[in-house]
Amino acid sequence: MGSLGWTVLLGTVVVQWWLRPRRLRSLRFRFTDGGSFMVGNHRSGSHITMPYALFRPDGTRPTTLVLYLHGANGRGDEPRELLNQPLLRMMRARIHPWDVNKRCVVLAPQVPRQRGVEWRTPWVMQAVHELMAAVLADFIPGSDPILVVTGASMGGLGCWDFVARAPPTCFFAAAAPICGGGAPVFAPLVKKTKFWFFHAESDSAIGVSETRALVKAATDQGVNVSFSCFTDEMLRAWHTERPDAAALAKLHHASYFGWSHCAASACAYCDPRLKRWLESGGQRY
């Protein structure tokens, strides 16, 4: 083999090495805040950089991976901003019922701040699935993990798409979309996943009719569906009863998204039944 052949061979090996799937090798020692969470950037084998925040359980071996999809205000390239999202703020501040986490690894990827890019964007989905595979390899290896997905607003829309468009190697046992929506035509693709939908009745950002359409379509397909619709009275009562959580709910976004739209996600995540439901993959409330 001449020098040109060796050069081509070496170049091919280098390219294949560079394109190899990468794992999150630094997860075990980069945790901060008492060892409960970390933020970082994952470089996938397809050259996509995906910022993320990651929470691990308190000193126990996890059984469940919770994929948390942020809303539109979570877009960006700084993963620490994800810690302002309702569920992650509650976990970091140890707000009940997320003051104790024994079973869940919570992964929150971040969509870049680019026009037209959402959770359903194909390369975003690919990057998230690669990131999930890396986290599972580090935290729940050699077992049968429970995969669940939840999110609010744009993240609620993403829940429906992630379940409907999941590759054969990824099965979501349960999904909890909050103030989301989606294409009802995908209902035949979500038959094996349990759904618990949440929405605010007076939501002015994404109308409750969007969720009602998904509930009907999924029910018609025999999907295991629950639906919680929050009235304004219910949300005001929650705000009074849980000032600790309400203070962390970033309700100042109400001027743009509407108060009920913002409050619904925090109200849902304050429900211990939802936490148990996510932990168990929709097996118990």
Side-chain angles (χ1 to χ4, degrees):
M1 184 182 295
S3 59
L4 179 60
W6 282 110
T7 301
V8 171
L9 178 60
L10 178 61
T12 301
V13 171
V14 170
V15 170
Q16 290 178 341
W17 176 85
W18 178 253
L19 293 178
R20 75 195 189 285
R22 290 166 168 85
R23 297 177 60 224
L24 298 178
R25 299 183 183 277
S26 61
L27 296 183
R28 300 183 190 278
F29 53 85
R30 287 184 55 197
F31 279 89
T32 58
D33 192 45
S36 64
F37 82 95
M38 66 170 289
V39 295
N41 292 278
H42 177 245
R43 178 77 169 176
S44 72
S46 50
H47 297 285
I48 299 171
T49 298
M50 176 64 67
Y52 65 90
L54 187 67
F55 283 74
R56 63 179 176 180
D58 304 319
T60 57
R61 183 171 181 175
T63 60
T64 304
L65 174 61
V66 178
L67 176 63
Y68 176 74
L69 306 179
H70 64 72
N73 66 320
R75 287 189 176 106
D77 56 8
E78 174 46 64
R80 293 196 70 85
E81 294 178 359
L82 290 168
L83 301 178
N84 289 324
Q85 294 295 306
L87 176 58
L88 304 190
R89 287 173 68 87
M90 291 179 66
M91 295 188 70
R92 190 179 180 193
R94 302 281 181 167
I95 299 296
H96 183 74
W98 296 94
D99 50 338
V100 177
N101 175 26
K102 296 292 186 182
R103 300 180 59 180
C104 298
V105 173
V106 179
L107 171 64
Q110 187 175 35
V111 170
R113 193 177 288 110
Q114 297 177 18
R115 183 181 295 274
V117 177
E118 300 179 359
W119 290 115
R120 64 183 176 183
T121 303
W123 64 263
V124 171
M125 283 191 162
Q126 177 184 348
V128 172
H129 281 295
E130 292 182 16
L131 177 57
M132 288 174 60
V135 172
L136 286 171
D138 270 6
F139 284 93
I140 320 179
S143 61
D144 189 16
I146 299 171
L147 304 182
V148 300
V149 58
T150 185
S153 193
M154 186 181 83
L157 293 160
C159 289
W160 182 257
D161 285 321
F162 259 87
V163 174
R165 304 182 186 191
T169 55
C170 178
F171 168 65
F172 288 101
I178 304 171
C179 294
V185 70
F186 288 153
L189 303 178
V190 304
K191 288 184 177 180
K192 296 182 179 179
T193 300
K194 297 180 177 65
F195 276 84
W196 190 353
F197 293 94
F198 298 82
H199 216 115
E201 190 173 55
S202 63
D203 193 335
S204 59
I206 301 178
V208 68
S209 60
E210 295 283 331
T211 289
R212 293 191 190 280
L214 295 188
V215 170
K216 182 181 185 306
T219 302
D220 290 346
Q221 292 293 326
V223 179
N224 187 321
V225 175
S226 297
F227 178 35
S228 295
C229 186
F230 300 126
T231 64
D232 286 348
E233 291 74 18
M234 294 168 64
L235 292 174
R236 282 194 290 267
W238 163 80
H239 192 279
T240 300
E241 295 169 2
R242 293 297 306 273
D244 54 344
L248 294 175
K250 286 287 186 177
L251 296 182
H252 60 264
H253 289 302
S255 59
Y256 181 80
F257 295 104
W259 184 84
S260 63
H261 183 78
C262 296
S265 59
C267 184
Y269 291 128
C270 277
D271 191 335
R273 297 175 303 165
L274 177 57
K275 180 173 182 285
R276 291 192 293 267
W277 191 83
L278 290 172
E279 289 175 336
S280 64
Q283 295 300 315
R284 65 189 184 93
Y285 291 94

